[in-house]
Amino acid sequence: MFSREHISWIVEDIFRTEIVKQRKDSLAFFDRQEMEQVRTLDPAVLAQATAQVGTYFGFTPQRFSSLQELISQSYDAYTRNQFVYLTTSGSTGKPKLCLHTQEMMDIEGKSVGKHFLQAKRFVTLTPRQHLYGLTFAVFFTSLFDLSTTPLAPMPLQPWHSLLREGDVMAGFPLFWEYFLRAGNTFPKGVTAVTSTAPCPKGLFDRLKHAGAARVVELYGASETGGIGVREAEEDPFEINDFWEVSVQQGEYKIRRKGIEGWLSFPDQVEFVPPRGIFPLKRMDRVVQVAGVNVSLTHVEQVLQSHPAVAACKVRLMRPEEGRRLKAFIVLKQSASTEVLSAIQTFLSKQLSSHEMPRHFTFGAALPTNVMGKDSDW
């Protein structure tokens, strides 16, 4: 069962997330003054955040004059409904609502929590309305009677004074990359957890070299919840014990024990008997740009809609090129490459900063290899 304090955390983090979106300032998430008077919030932030809270807890919010009133409404709805709705990022279309009942969350918490039985405290760097923020700040603390400490995912902090032996520190790949780049090390006995995105090659070893006692990677999605866990880059993810696995028409599928309905993995996977998987690639052409899911198909559709574009392809840059998107464009006969500035302006009005390609290449035809398949450029 979530406590009122848990509900308060979630509601506040939903509001902070909306403030970040409106102000386009990630540091605004940690500005506590923004949360003190909801009446002073931008009306667009207030309306969107209130709607998000209602969706999350499955109720229609009534008028409120303070955040505490909305938290009370949310707690009453949660106590009555015993479920929450996680929301997908919307990178492949309209965000999907994903129902997680209290029973599902209890089962998942106990299953995944087995990997952290020696923990003395959970430290979470992810907003607590998201799957993994919820896992470490709410699932585990309510089941195992342990405290949780939310910290800002800013690498330049005095980590040796903030962390202590027995901590399980739940971060994500982009944070860990900057954490290591800043020269940070871990105090003795700290477990580093990475989730939300694929773990870059070599990150396990680099975290251990920086002093992490253990490195644990979690694999899952909002649609499914947690799917698997591993503790070495070369090992497959071990599928959590509350999942059944089946092969149907050549595709591996999973379902929660006791619940009807088979689900596809979020990725193409290589199955390793008896219950291991290696995720290979996303099935929906979604990539991570600076920790944010971006649909290549969506970006291509927007780019293709420009009147000067005959055909296009979008993909991630190679590691040596950068960490953003690049685009290849075939122009219509009436257009010249001088139209690039107009194309960029057109895209900036329809795409987020993470979705904007940072490099453009023009050619007479989309690049392919000798087999006729898409190739890099």
Side-chain angles (χ1 to χ4, degrees):
M1 288 287 290
F2 294 2
S3 67
R4 182 186 168 88
E5 183 180 30
H6 293 146
I7 303 298
S8 177
W9 291 344
I10 294 168
V11 172
E12 289 179 3
D13 279 8
I14 289 173
F15 269 75
R16 291 193 182 98
T17 300
E18 289 305 318
I19 291 170
V20 167
K21 289 179 182 177
Q22 293 291 330
R23 286 175 47 180
K24 294 182 171 58
D25 176 8
S26 59
L27 294 181
F29 190 89
F30 311 106
D31 187 350
R32 296 204 62 84
Q33 289 185 341
E34 288 279 5
M35 301 299 299
E36 291 178 358
Q37 293 291 333
V38 295
R39 292 175 180 173
T40 65
L41 290 177
D42 183 300
V45 171
L46 184 59
Q48 183 64 18
T50 301
Q52 292 281 0
V53 169
T55 298
Y56 197 94
F57 293 105
F59 77 107
T60 301
Q62 304 301 308
R63 285 180 64 101
F64 59 92
S65 58
S66 70
L67 200 60
Q68 289 305 312
E69 289 183 23
L70 181 60
I71 290 169
S72 294
Q73 292 180 30
S74 302
Y75 181 67
D76 291 343
Y78 160 76
T79 303
R80 180 173 62 252
N81 296 333
Q82 296 286 290
F83 63 70
V84 298
Y85 281 108
L86 301 186
T87 307
T88 61
S89 65
S91 55
T92 57
K94 184 178 180 181
K96 301 175 185 176
L97 298 182
C98 309
L99 178 69
H100 290 254
T101 66
Q102 184 64 53
E103 181 181 13
M104 291 166 61
M105 292 186 284
D106 285 345
I107 292 171
E108 181 166 340
K110 290 175 183 176
S111 176
V112 180
K114 293 175 184 176
H115 298 272
F116 306 105
L117 293 178
Q118 303 305 312
K120 296 180 181 178
R121 182 180 65 154
F122 295 111
V123 176
T124 179
L125 307 176
T126 307
R128 287 164 288 192
Q129 77 272 28
H130 294 164
L131 173 62
Y132 294 109
L134 194 66
T135 297
F136 285 92
V138 181
F139 289 5
F140 291 167
T141 55
S142 60
L143 286 169
F144 298 110
D145 194 28
L146 290 176
S147 66
T148 186
T149 298
L151 292 177
M154 295 185 288
L156 295 177
Q157 296 193 68
W159 294 107
H160 271 263
S161 62
L162 292 171
L163 301 173
R164 55 180 183 253
E165 186 172 0
D167 279 351
V168 172
M169 184 178 176
F172 45 92
L174 186 65
F175 166 77
W176 290 125
E177 289 285 354
Y178 285 112
F179 177 91
L180 294 170
R181 191 180 301 178
N184 292 305
T185 58
F186 295 93
K188 178 183 176 182
V190 174
T191 295
V193 179
T194 185
S195 61
T196 76
C199 186
K201 187 174 179 60
L203 183 60
F204 268 80
D205 288 341
R206 286 185 288 141
L207 288 171
K208 288 184 178 179
H209 184 73
R214 294 168 64 210
V215 180
V216 182
E217 184 177 8
L218 304 183
Y219 172 62
S222 297
E223 297 94 326
T224 59
I227 294 175
V229 181
R230 68 176 176 183
E231 296 194 29
E233 182 179 291
E234 64 273 15
D235 290 345
F237 287 94
E238 186 69 19
I239 297 173
N240 294 326
D241 57 18
F242 56 87
W243 290 109
E244 296 176 343
V245 184
S246 173
V247 180
Q248 300 180 11
Q249 298 179 330
E251 180 185 355
Y252 286 98
K253 300 215 171 197
I254 52 174
R255 72 175 177 189
R256 288 176 179 262
K257 293 178 180 178
I259 297 179
E260 293 298 320
W262 291 95
L263 302 171
S264 297
F265 284 96
D267 306 88
Q268 293 178 7
V269 299
E270 174 189 346
F271 190 73
V272 181
R275 292 177 62 84
I277 54 165
F278 283 108
L280 302 177
K281 64 178 182 179
R282 288 282 298 236
M283 307 249 273
D284 49 14
R285 297 192 71 224
V286 168
V287 297
Q288 285 253 333
V289 178
V292 175
N293 285 341
V294 171
S295 167
L296 297 179
T297 300
H298 172 66
V299 176
E300 288 172 352
Q301 288 172 342
V302 173
L303 179 53
Q304 182 80 53
S305 70
H306 189 279
V309 176
C312 65
K313 207 71 183 175
V314 176
R315 67 188 304 160
L316 270 176
M317 293 177 173
R318 295 187 298 275
E320 67 272 18
E321 295 175 319
R323 297 174 178 268
R324 298 287 175 161
L325 299 183
K326 60 181 180 178
F328 191 101
I329 299 174
V330 178
L331 293 171
K332 292 180 179 177
Q333 289 185 351
S334 59
S336 71
T337 56
E338 294 177 356
V339 78
L340 176 58
S341 178
I343 289 175
Q344 290 174 310
T345 299
F346 173 80
L347 295 178
S348 68
K349 295 177 180 179
Q350 302 188 61
L351 299 176
S352 70
S353 62
H354 294 86
E355 294 171 317
M356 276 292 293
R358 297 302 172 89
H359 186 267
F360 295 84
T361 301
F362 293 94
L366 295 178
T368 57
N369 60 22
V370 293
M371 300 293 291
K373 296 183 178 180
D374 292 340
S375 66
D376 199 358
W377 58 87

